[in-house]
Amino acid sequence: MSLLRFEDVSKSYGDEEVLHDVSFELDARDVEVIVGPSGSGKSTLLRCVNRLTEIDGGAIYLDGEDVHAMDENVLRRHVGMVFQDFNLFAHRTARGNVTLGLTEVLGLSEREADERAEQYLRRVGVADQAESYPAELSGGQKQRVGIARALAMDPDLMLFDEPTSALDPELVGEVLGVMRDLADDGMTMLAVTHEMGFARSVASRLTFLEDGRIVERGPPERLFEQPDHDRTREFLGELTELHR
């Protein structure tokens, strides 16, 4: 059984339909990369998984359970999310950003939360910044703290919403390196990114989304080399050239 399943999911903002009958399945340990032009519905699709955005039609299932029938706190224990703009609490240290969900949502003691935070900050390579505040961190360090915060909840699925787009070019590699390591460790991931090197080398499947519809979906090598649709070839060609 698939870990994540979309069935005819639709979402509109006023008269604008941003997702139109989107259906796909994601198996455990898969890495799915979603690409598409600005406004195609990519971020909305991610936010629907953990109910930061509510759908208008269709259904989303996580491990066979309708996410809209789940308690939101329970859902977010199983689904971690890493945001484009980091979303760290400025008044909390790196450690404090990781421990907050562990104490408030999982109910761990402060000692248990500190130990787990240390473990995951070390895993993403920023253990030496545990007592630093976000303003004292580079963009790459902030994003790695955000990844540690999500991972510490021990999720079944990780969502990445353009995790490198707010970073200086020289910092992109350190975040992609963490994501590659997670993929190697078998983490199931659904990522919106324009980093085509990552998509080609790490993704199990690539999905091209435009105007809220899936234009094409399949193994990255096929979509890059022999896509079924001219629009897929055109978009991926432009994207590859832009990030060369």
Side-chain angles (χ1 to χ4, degrees):
M1 183 172 63
S2 57
L3 178 64
L4 179 69
R5 187 167 84 253
F6 273 60
E7 289 188 357
D8 299 323
V9 171
S10 296
K11 174 64 184 177
S12 296
Y13 294 112
D15 294 333
E16 181 185 4
E17 189 175 41
V18 293
L19 293 177
H20 178 80
D21 292 341
V22 172
S23 298
F24 69 92
E25 295 185 7
L26 183 65
D27 291 335
R29 303 178 70 88
D30 280 354
V31 177
E32 179 110 9
V33 169
I34 302 173
V35 298
S38 178
S40 60
K42 305 182 301 295
S43 293
T44 297
L45 186 151
L46 285 193
R47 293 171 66 88
C48 287
V49 176
N50 63 359
R51 293 177 57 191
L52 291 175
T53 296
E54 299 287 349
I55 64 176
D56 295 328
I60 302 172
Y61 297 93
L62 181 68
D63 203 17
E65 187 171 355
D66 187 339
V67 301
H68 289 82
M70 297 173 68
D71 177 85
E72 288 189 22
N73 280 334
V74 172
L75 173 63
R76 289 170 191 165
R77 291 180 197 175
H78 294 281
V79 180
M81 187 162 186
V82 177
F83 299 87
Q84 176 180 347
D85 54 359
F86 318 128
N87 275 23
L88 299 180
F89 293 105
H91 65 288
R92 298 182 70 94
T93 63
R95 183 196 307 276
N97 269 277
V98 178
T99 59
L100 183 61
L102 299 176
T103 55
E104 297 297 317
V105 178
L106 296 188
L108 299 188
S109 69
E110 288 189 12
R111 178 179 175 181
E112 291 171 321
D114 281 343
E115 289 175 352
R116 189 180 289 197
E118 180 75 20
Q119 171 189 350
Y120 283 96
L121 289 170
R122 187 180 307 112
R123 182 174 180 181
V124 300
V126 289
D128 59 337
Q129 300 294 332
E131 303 309 319
S132 298
Y133 289 88
E136 301 170 317
L137 301 175
S138 71
Q141 290 170 332
K142 290 177 188 176
Q143 196 58 291
R144 284 187 282 165
V145 172
I147 294 173
R149 176 179 59 185
L151 286 177
M153 302 293 285
D154 194 25
D156 301 313
L157 170 68
M158 284 283 288
L159 309 175
F160 291 87
D161 189 8
E162 300 197 24
T164 61
S165 64
L167 301 180
D168 292 333
E170 64 270 19
L171 300 177
V172 169
E174 64 187 62
V175 173
L176 292 180
V178 172
M179 293 174 67
R180 289 177 190 273
D181 289 344
L182 292 178
D184 289 342
D185 289 343
M187 174 60 71
T188 311
M189 297 161 57
L190 184 61
V192 172
T193 181
H194 288 160
E195 298 295 337
M196 291 299 94
F198 175 85
R200 293 190 78 144
S201 62
V202 179
S204 312
R205 273 181 306 278
L206 184 65
T207 292
F208 174 37
L209 193 70
E210 187 169 47
D211 296 328
R213 293 171 166 83
I214 293 177
V215 176
E216 192 163 354
R217 180 173 183 257
E221 60 271 18
R222 184 181 67 75
L223 266 67
F224 278 104
E225 304 298 336
Q226 293 181 311
D228 292 335
H229 297 273
D230 289 341
R231 180 63 184 123
T232 306
R233 179 180 293 105
E234 176 188 9
F235 180 80
L236 290 179
E238 292 172 353
L239 203 57
T240 301
E241 189 64 31
L242 183 65
H243 288 81
R244 182 163 290 172

